[in-house]
């Protein structure tokens, strides 16, 4: 999807989503993936002092009056879909995505695990990344749900960079992982050559797909929002790690691919046959540590020899 500006009405954004869903359904799609925080601009780039200025970005009910037409059209077309939005519950605020069945019921709900950025105000930056201010860490964890004739897992944006995301979803039976993302360019927390942003995005998706033998659908909110740029690169990645289809531009665009679920089975029954080859007795630090042990200092007795 192209960007959504601060002035855009949610109902207009939903109209765009309905037309994209129609185009996908016309091309034979049975499941449609939309981006993270699809209904609004990527508001975590802004510091809002006053809580009342933040409320308009959040939904308390889903479907909401504005999103009802999307649920309705998907039901008419018998298409399942997923999209991301900012959710306020009685307890907390989450960066959420939902999985909706072809009959319009919500089969799954995921709250983002990996929240990038910071919670404090950094007004010196050209834009901020305040997910840690506006959202709580997930209370759902990574889950999968049966949908159509497959098992689907959800994650959101920054989650796609973490190998743990795909592995947990694969262990929970995912055959397809759908995610949306808003990736600002440049990333103010990580100044790096421009070409690395797309490379790291695709590398993460392709590695996650191959190492777990599953399909990955990645949907960007891309292009310009209020003078800020978001990276494109929406794509569908096969369990072989190959990109099956990829967006060309940064506007509203439909990518359709006929995903053969047996392709993943070949990988999971052989090179990544978890039951035969995983060695959990050697994976302890993955769940016991968040930080890496420090490398030995030069001159330390344990120091590695330098050749
Ligand atoms: N929405 C995101 O999670 N964006 C992050 C940026 C901030 C690094 C991403 O991983 O793309």
């Amino acid at each position: 999807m192209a960007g959504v500006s601060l002035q855009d009405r949610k109902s207009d954004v939903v109209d765009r989503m309905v037309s994209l869903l129609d185009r996908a359904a016309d091309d034979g799609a049975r499941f449609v993936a939309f981006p993270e925080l699809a209904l609004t601009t990527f508001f975590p780039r802004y510091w809002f002092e006053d809580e009342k200025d933040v409320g308009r970005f959040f939904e308390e009910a889903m479907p909401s009056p504005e999103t009802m037409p999307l649920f309705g059209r998907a039901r008419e077309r018998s298409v399942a879909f997923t999209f991301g939005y900012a959710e306020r519950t009685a307890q907390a605020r989450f960066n959420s995505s939902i999985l909706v069945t072809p009959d319009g019921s919500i089969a799954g709900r995921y709250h983002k695990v990996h929240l990038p950025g910071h919670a404090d105000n950094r007004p010196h930056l050209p834009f901020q990344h305040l997910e840690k201010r506006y959202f709580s860490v997930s209370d759902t964890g990574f889950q999968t749900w049966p949908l159509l004739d497959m098992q689907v897992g959800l994650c959101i944006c920054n989650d796609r960079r973490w190998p743990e995301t795909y592995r947990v979803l694969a262990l929970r039976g995912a055959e397809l992982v759908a995610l949306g993302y808003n990736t600002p360019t440049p990333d103010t927390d990580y100044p790096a050559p421009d070409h690395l942003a797309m490379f790291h995005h695709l590398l993460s998706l392709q590695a996650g797909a191959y190492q777990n033998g599953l399909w990955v659908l990645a949907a960007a909110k891309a292009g310009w929002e209020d003078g800020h740029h978001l990276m494109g690169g929406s794509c569908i990645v096969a369990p072989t790690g190959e990109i099956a289809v990829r967006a060309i531009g940064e506007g509203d665009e439909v990518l359709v691919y006929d995903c053969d679920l047996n392709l993943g089975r070949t990988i999971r029954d052989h090179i990544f046959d978890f039951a035969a080859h995983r060695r959990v007795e050697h994976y302890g630090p993955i769940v016991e540590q968040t930080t890496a042990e420090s490398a030995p200092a030069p001159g330390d007795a344990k120091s590695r020899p330098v050749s």
Side-chain angles (χ1 to χ4, degrees):
M1 283 178 66
V4 176
S5 77
L6 272 171
Q7 294 86 339
D8 286 343
R9 291 182 312 179
K10 285 181 192 163
S11 54
D12 292 335
V13 179
V14 170
D15 284 348
R16 281 169 53 197
M17 294 169 77
V18 168
S19 123
L20 286 165
L21 185 134
D22 264 335
R23 284 166 51 194
D26 289 345
D27 286 349
R30 297 170 65 207
F31 177 51
V32 177
F34 291 105
E36 172 191 36
L37 299 176
L39 306 176
T40 64
T41 196
F42 188 57
F43 66 90
R45 74 167 71 88
Y46 302 112
W47 176 269
F48 293 104
E49 196 64 49
D50 200 329
E51 270 299 306
K52 73 176 176 1
D53 296 326
V54 179
R56 67 186 169 120
F57 299 111
F58 284 80
E59 313 298 323
E60 288 178 7
M62 192 54 68
S64 55
E66 289 98 340
T67 53
M68 205 69 93
L70 179 64
F71 282 73
R73 184 62 60 87
R75 200 169 44 242
E76 275 165 40
R77 304 295 310 254
S78 204
V79 168
F81 64 99
T82 177
F83 74 99
Y85 67 98
E87 179 186 4
R88 185 194 295 277
T89 69
Q91 290 75 35
R93 295 186 300 215
F94 296 104
N95 188 339
S96 300
S97 72
I98 50 170
L99 190 62
V100 184
T101 63
D103 69 2
S105 49
I106 296 178
R109 181 181 300 279
Y110 167 70
H111 294 156
K112 189 172 181 180
V113 167
H114 299 102
L115 298 175
H118 48 95
D120 56 311
N121 193 8
R122 301 185 186 176
H124 57 283
L125 295 174
F127 60 89
Q128 307 201 41
H129 198 99
L130 291 158
E131 287 199 55
K132 282 185 170 24
R133 172 173 168 83
Y134 296 126
F135 302 120
S136 296
V137 172
S138 183
D139 59 351
T140 61
F142 298 110
Q143 304 293 337
T144 68
W145 302 270
L147 180 87
L148 305 171
D149 44 7
M150 58 191 174
Q151 195 71 14
V152 175
L154 298 178
C155 68
I156 301 178
C157 194
N158 191 261
D159 291 326
R160 77 193 188 285
R161 304 184 189 276
W162 295 84
E164 293 88 345
T165 299
Y166 305 92
R167 182 50 51 90
V168 173
L169 288 170
L171 288 168
R172 293 199 191 281
E175 297 172 284
L176 181 147
V177 171
L179 65 99
Y181 62 98
N182 288 257
T183 296
T185 48
D187 181 344
T188 49
D189 288 332
Y190 174 51
D194 285 352
H195 70 278
L196 288 182
M198 184 61 74
F199 172 65
H200 288 160
H201 159 68
L202 297 175
L203 178 70
S204 302
L205 301 176
Q206 292 180 261
Y210 163 61
Q211 290 169 348
N212 297 281
L214 43 77
W215 287 88
V216 176
L217 317 185
K221 182 136 65 55
W224 293 94
E225 291 190 334
D226 318 317
H228 298 283
H229 188 256
L230 297 170
M231 195 183 77
S234 297
C235 57
I236 299 176
V237 182
T240 54
E242 294 164 290
I243 296 171
V245 56
R246 177 172 160 184
I248 291 173
E250 296 177 339
D252 283 355
E253 187 175 339
V254 177
L255 307 179
V256 181
Y257 197 79
D258 185 7
C259 300
D260 173 4
L261 295 173
N262 288 322
L263 209 52
R265 185 150 305 287
T266 314
I267 304 261
R268 290 196 306 273
D269 286 350
H270 295 94
I271 191 82
F272 291 118
D273 178 341
F274 291 169
H277 307 306
R278 290 189 82 234
R279 289 288 164 255
V280 291
E281 67 274 27
H282 295 299
Y283 301 161
I286 285 182
V287 288
E288 285 154 15
Q289 291 175 214
T290 51
T291 44
E293 289 153 32
S294 50
D300 187 313
K302 289 187 301 185
S303 184
R304 287 184 289 265
V306 178
S307 54

